[in-house]
């Protein structure tokens, strides 16, 4: 009898611990995906698709929570939040990474890629994929590239065909050393403004022009306050979907594999949607008849590329001459 009672207690404790461990093991991993745009954008829809695919692939193991429209953190705070572990996934514009690595400035270099197909080939190449790891020493792991569309130049001038047509004009840019150098090289005056300020700045003449994909031009009604939009396709307005590298590496292997697969599916979905929306919105702009769309010849594009080539040289040491050469090679199928 003296032996049996402690045994019962010990067994009870073991059973309780077993139940407690099982309950703990069943708790899903919370994955907060925070972004700053609306749900009806390619990025917003891509985030929702990732949630759908991840939770289907890992039932009960992950709980993906999507927060659009800066509900958790705005542009200026989301990176800090990721590094602190307050969110697990964000998708900033590629132009916002130059403080972490200069290599990603490759995507800001003007007239580097002929079209989205060339951009895709480079991003899918070993060099493009390696760039996803370029910020790992800073605690940032890239997961995928998401498109928002190739940029077009717009202005309040009647013609926007040759590089000399923008000389002396004020152009709104994102905060990027490369984009600033691009317009200075062309003889224009770059003005850093937040995206929310662009419409009024164009309307009132604070700036004369801007660079945006068709979806941004249409959704923000920029075509209503610009005379001309030139089909330059001179740069990519892309995002990198990123996570905290310490959190990512610490995930169970099966969960990480499931999230990778879900991200691949969401990336394909978001990028296809971006292409469809840009094609649709270009047509909507044409149908509206407010801004003239100018299609440039190969000769025109060659003139633009030659005019901005010194910018490539200016940033070659920071980005890497070999990387620039491989990016240019992606234009050849």
């Amino acid at each position: 009898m003296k032996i049996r009672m402690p045994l019962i207690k010990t067994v009870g404790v073991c059973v309780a611990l077993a139940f407690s461990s099982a309950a703990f093991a069943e708790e899903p991993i919370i994955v907060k995906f925070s972004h700053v745009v609306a749900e009806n954008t390619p990025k917003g829809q891509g985030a929702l698709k990732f949630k759908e695919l991840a939770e289907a692939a890992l039932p009960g193991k992950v709980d993906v929570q999507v927060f659009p429209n800066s509900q958790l953190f705005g542009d200026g705070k989301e990176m800090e939040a990721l590094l602190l572990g307050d969110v697990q996934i964000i998708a900033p514009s590629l132009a916002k990474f130059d403080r972490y690595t200069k290599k990603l400035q490759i995507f800001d270099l003007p007239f580097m890629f002929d079209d989205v197909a060339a951009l895709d080939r480079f991003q899918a190449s070993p060099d493009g994929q390696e760039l996803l790891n370029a910020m790992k020493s800073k605690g940032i792991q890239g997961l995928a590239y998401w498109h928002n569309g190739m940029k077009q130049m717009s202005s309040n001038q009647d013609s926007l065909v040759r590089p000399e047509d923008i000389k002396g004009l004020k152009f709104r840019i994102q905060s990027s050393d490369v984009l600033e150098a691009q317009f200075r090289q062309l003889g224009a005056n770059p003005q850093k403004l937040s995206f929310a300020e662009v419409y009024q700045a164009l309307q009132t003449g604070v700036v004369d022009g801007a660079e945006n994909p068709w979806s941004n031009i249409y959704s923000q009604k920029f075509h209503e306050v610009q005379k001309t939009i030139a089909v330059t396709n001179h740069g990519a307005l892309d995002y990198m979907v990123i996570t905290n590298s310490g959190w990512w590496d610490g995930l169970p292997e099966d969960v990480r594999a499931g999230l990778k697969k879900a991200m691949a599916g969401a990336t394909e979905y978001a990028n296809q949607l971006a292409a469809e929306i840009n094609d649709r919105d270009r047509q909507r702009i044409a149908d509206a008849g407010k801004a003239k769309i100018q299609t440039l010849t190969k000769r025109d594009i060659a003139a633009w590329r030659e005019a901005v080539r010194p910018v490539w040289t200016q940033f070659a040491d920071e980005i890497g001459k070999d990387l620039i050469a491989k990016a240019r090679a992606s234009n050849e199928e």
Side-chain angles (χ1 to χ4, degrees):
M1 293 295 292
K2 291 180 182 179
I3 298 171
R4 188 170 294 175
M5 289 302 292
L7 265 176
I8 292 171
K9 287 181 181 179
T10 304
V11 169
V13 169
C14 290
V15 169
L17 285 172
F19 275 116
S20 176
S21 297
F24 180 77
E26 290 173 3
E27 285 293 316
I29 296 169
I30 303 296
V31 183
K32 293 181 181 179
F33 191 149
S34 174
H35 64 82
V36 300
V37 298
E39 282 191 336
N40 62 352
T41 61
K43 188 198 289 191
Q45 290 297 301
L48 293 174
K49 177 60 72 172
F50 173 72
K51 170 182 172 66
E52 174 193 325
L53 296 176
E55 292 180 349
L58 299 162
K61 291 187 176 183
V62 297
D63 175 11
V64 179
Q65 301 172 2
V66 178
F67 299 91
N69 280 322
S70 302
Q71 286 177 3
L72 287 185
F73 301 99
D75 260 339
K77 295 289 185 182
E78 62 177 4
M79 189 71 78
E80 180 184 356
L82 182 85
L83 294 173
L84 289 173
D86 294 332
V87 295
Q88 285 68 53
I89 300 177
I90 60 176
S93 165
L94 288 171
K96 295 181 179 173
F97 291 114
D98 61 353
R99 58 189 280 204
Y100 300 99
T101 176
K102 299 298 184 184
K103 289 183 179 296
L104 286 174
Q105 292 180 131
I106 187 73
F107 296 109
D108 278 345
L109 287 178
F111 295 94
M112 180 61 41
F113 304 98
D114 290 347
D115 49 32
V116 173
L119 179 65
D120 275 333
R121 284 193 291 273
F122 177 70
Q123 290 178 344
S125 73
D127 292 285
Q129 289 296 296
E130 184 55 35
L131 287 176
L132 294 173
N133 302 316
M135 299 176 286
K136 195 158 186 179
S137 64
K138 308 288 176 62
I140 299 167
Q141 176 63 59
L143 300 177
Y145 298 103
W146 284 8
H147 297 329
N148 193 31
M150 298 297 283
K151 293 186 291 185
Q152 321 302 331
M153 283 193 196
S154 65
S155 86
N156 59 11
Q157 304 298 296
D158 290 325
S159 181
L160 195 58
V161 175
R162 305 289 278 194
E164 53 267 27
D165 291 338
I166 70 168
K167 191 171 183 179
L169 300 183
K170 293 171 290 185
F171 268 78
R172 179 266 173 176
I173 62 166
Q174 295 187 75
S175 183
S176 161
D177 291 343
V178 175
L179 298 182
E180 184 172 355
Q182 164 189 292
F183 282 107
R184 292 204 185 283
Q185 179 62 33
L186 292 167
N189 299 310
Q191 307 286 322
K192 295 177 183 178
L193 293 172
S194 70
F195 191 61
E197 298 176 89
V198 178
Y199 179 87
Q200 186 174 8
L202 291 171
Q203 185 182 42
T204 59
V206 170
V207 293
D208 302 302
E211 51 171 13
N212 285 285
W214 296 107
S215 59
N216 281 8
I217 295 170
Y218 182 78
S219 65
Q220 300 299 314
K221 304 184 187 300
F222 295 158
H223 62 293
E224 296 183 359
V225 288
Q226 295 276 262
K227 287 184 179 179
T228 305
I229 305 168
V231 186
T232 51
N233 288 322
H234 65 279
L237 187 59
D238 269 13
Y239 310 109
M240 184 184 284
V241 186
I242 60 173
T243 187
N244 182 304
S245 59
W247 175 81
W248 182 255
D249 292 341
L251 289 173
E253 191 172 336
D254 64 322
V255 172
R256 192 164 56 248
L259 293 180
K260 271 186 180 179
K261 186 175 181 181
M263 183 56 67
T267 298
E268 183 178 357
Y269 176 81
N271 287 349
Q272 179 59 39
L273 186 61
E276 292 172 0
I277 288 175
N278 275 284
D279 287 345
R280 179 201 70 192
D281 288 351
R282 174 178 174 169
Q283 188 59 51
R284 285 177 168 178
I285 291 167
D287 293 343
K290 294 181 181 292
K292 175 175 59 180
I293 295 176
Q294 289 188 322
T295 302
L296 307 188
T297 66
K298 288 184 178 180
R299 195 178 209 176
D300 295 327
I301 294 295
W304 283 92
R305 182 174 286 128
E306 193 58 33
V308 299
R309 194 178 293 274
V311 179
W312 302 359
T313 304
Q314 180 180 341
F315 291 91
D317 289 339
E318 288 184 354
I319 296 171
K321 293 178 182 177
D322 288 347
L323 193 62
I324 291 174
K326 288 174 180 177
R328 291 297 303 138
S330 67
N331 292 308
E332 303 167 10
E333 291 190 48

